Amino acid sequence: MRIVGVILATLLAQQASAQLADVDWWKTTTFYQVYPRSFKDSNANGIGDLEGITLKLDHFVDIGIGGVWLSPVFKSPMKDFGYDVSDFREIDPIFGTMADFEELAQGCKDRGLKLVLDFVPNHSSDEHVWFNKSIAREDPYTDYYTWRDPKGINETSGEPIPPNNWLSVFGGSAWEYNEEREQFYLHQFVAGQPDLNYRNPLVVTEMEDILRFWMDKGADGFRLDAIPHLMEDQTFPDEPPSNDPEFTPDQWGSLSHIYTADLPELYPIIYGFRKVVDEKQEELGRQMVMMVEAYTSLENTMKYYGEGDVKGAHFPFNFEFITNVNNETTASELKEIIDRWQNALPSGAWSNWVIGNHDRTRVASRFGRDFSIAAITMGQLLPGTAITYNGEEINMEDTWISWADTVDPQGCQAGPEFYEKFSRDPVRTPYQWDDSVYAGFTIPDSEKPWLPVNGNYEELNLAAQKQEENSPYAIYKKLTAMRKDMNAVKSGQLGTSTVGENIFVFTRYLQSADEKSVLVVVNLAENEVNADLTGVPTLRSGAMITYHVGVNSSYTAGQELSPSSVNVPARGSLVFLYTNAASTTVLASLLLVFSVILSLLH
Ligand code: GLC
C-alpha cells in the first residue's frame, strides 16, 4: 500500500512540474514600470536619467521584480514627456547616451533582469525628420501621416475649417493646419504628436525595423503605447456625441469614438509586430515579450491576444483595477470583475494585473493607504503577470501640483478650471528614496526637480520602510518572493468566493499534499470583520490555515489558526497558506482501508 501512496505522490509531483516547464520568464515575474524622468537624477539637473536607473539596479533585485519597463527614453522635444519621439533610434540627451543605455542593458543582464522598452507606434514628434519631409511632400514620406484638405474657410475669421469634428485625447480639435502644406494633419494626442498613417505599408515596415533595432541593442521586449488609436476610418465622418454630461464639448469624452478607435484593421498590425518579435527571438535565442496598452472594452482587449493560430501580444494590459474597481466596489462586484476577466481570456492566453501607471491616479490615492496594499496583494497573487508602477512598492501617493507648476500637456490643455481632473503630473513626482533634501532623487544643490517632491517624503520613503517590519515595502517583498517560490502562485488554480457582504476571498490551490496553497482574504468594509471561511469552496474541509503576510494584521507570520474565525482588518487583506489535499499518508491510509474492504468482500 505504501507503494501506491508513493506512486500517487510521484504522479502528482510530475503533473506539477510538467505545468511549470512551460512557464516562461515573463509569466511568473513582476514587471516594474520606471518613469525615467522621476526615478533617479545622476547629474543634478533635476531630471532623472539612465545612469540614475543604473545606479539603482540593485533596488529591482531587492524588491524581487524580474522585468524593468522604461517609459520612453528616445530623442524627444518632450511635448508629451517622451511620448513624442523625434528619433526612434536615439536616446534623448536628457536621459544620457546610447552608451548609457548599453550600460543599463548590461547591468540588467548581469543581475538576471529583463529590460522592456516603450514603443510608441501611433505617432512621432512633429520634429521627426519624416514629418518635415511629409510637410514638403517629399516621397516616400508624403503619406507617412494623415493629411486632409480643409473643409472650407471660416468666413468671419478667414481660418481654414478642420476636416471633421474629431477631438484630441488631450482636448481640442485633433486637426492642426500646416501653412506650408496647406492641409490639416491628424493628431490624436497633442499637436506635436502627428499620427502616423498605418494604411501606408512603408510606415509599418519602418516601425517593424525599429523593433528589430532595439532587440538587437538588448531589449527583451516592448510595451506598445496607445494602440487603439492606430487607425481611423478612411471616409473621415464626424463622430457622434457621447452625451456624457461629465465632459465639455471640446473634451475627448464628449464624443463616441467609433471612427478613431478600435478599428478592426489595427489588429493585424499588432499581429505583424508579434511576428517580428518572434523572429528576432528565434534569431537571438532570447525570449521576448510584447505587452499592449489599450483602454477599451473587454471584448476588444481580448483581440490583442491574437486570432486563431495567429499570435498577438503576449498580453494586453488588464486595467480592471484601474478602470472598474473603486472605493464603492462590493465584495461580490470585485469577485465578478475578476471572474469576468479570467473567463474572457481566450484558451491558452496568459493573464496579468496592472495596479497603476504614469497616466492614472496612484493606487494609494485611489484606494487609500490600506486598500492599496490589498490591491497590490491581489495583483501579485492572482493568476498571471504582475505589473507595478514605480513607487507602489512603498505606497507613494499623488502629489498636489499647482496650476503654475503644471507641465503635463493633458493638464495644460484642460486649463486652470479643469487641470486637476486631467493632469498626470501628480502621479509622476520624484521617487522617494530617503528623507534627505529632494527625497534622495537628486543631490541637495542640484536644480529643482522638474516636478515637486511630495511633502510627505520625510515620513514616506524607501529608507524608512527598510527599517520597519511590516512596511508596504516589506509586504511587497514577501509577495514577490511568493511569486518566485510557490508553485501555487505560478500555476495554481484560481477559486474566488465571497463571505458575507464585505469579504472577498480567493485561493490559488494545487492538488498536492506536499505543496502549500494560498488563501487571500480581502475586507472591503471600513471596519474590521470577523469572518468564518470554512465554507470557502476551494478550502479543504478541516484544513488549518497559516498566516503569512497582510495589512494591519493581528496575527504573526507562521501562526496557525482555524478558518472558522478570522479577523480581517478594515480595508485590508490577509494572506494565508494551507494544504489543499489530504497528505499522502492520509491518502495511503484511505487506500489501505479501501483495499481491506475489497479483500473482505472477496
Ligand atoms: C499612452 C501613454 C501616455 C501618452 C499617450 C500618447 O497612453 O501612456 O502617457 O501621453 O499614450 O503617447
Side-chain angles (χ1 to χ4, degrees), residues 291-398:
M291 337 189 254
V292 160
E293 182 214 29
Y295 289 94
T296 182
S297 67
L298 194 58
E299 196 194 339
N300 285 333
T301 304
M302 295 302 157
K303 294 182 192 161
Y304 289 106
Y305 276 111
E307 202 188 320
D309 290 342
V310 183
K311 287 183 186 159
H314 290 79
F315 54 81
F317 283 144
N318 168 359
F319 290 131
E320 295 292 317
F321 273 104
I322 296 181
T323 53
N324 284 330
V325 180
N326 58 47
N327 290 323
E328 272 73 57
T329 303
T330 63
S332 58
E333 284 165 352
L334 184 56
K335 172 176 157 46
E336 200 185 305
I337 290 169
I338 289 168
D339 289 346
R340 194 180 51 216
W341 171 273
Q342 286 296 120
N343 295 336
L345 291 171
S347 139
W350 191 253
S351 192
N352 75 97
W353 303 89
V354 179
I355 300 304
N357 59 40
H358 66 298
D359 293 328
R360 303 292 171 129
T361 310
R362 279 187 176 278
V363 64
S365 299
R366 255 183 289 141
F367 296 150
R369 279 191 183 184
D370 293 336
F371 199 70
S372 62
I373 297 179
I376 289 168
T377 302
M378 290 187 266
Q380 289 285 335
L381 301 181
L382 281 166
T385 305
I387 293 123
T388 296
Y389 174 53
N390 59 197
E392 278 170 11
E393 76 280 24
I394 54 169
N395 229 3
M396 271 177 66
E397 293 169 340
D398 281 4

Side-chain angles (χ1 to χ4, degrees), residues 80 83 123 170 189 193 223 225-226 293 358-359 424 428:
D80 189 18
Y83 284 93
H123 40 264
F170 294 156
F189 294 88
Q193 291 167 302
R223 173 261 189 190
D225 180 77
E293 182 214 29
H358 66 298
D359 293 328
R424 300 166 297 178
R428 299 175 174 179

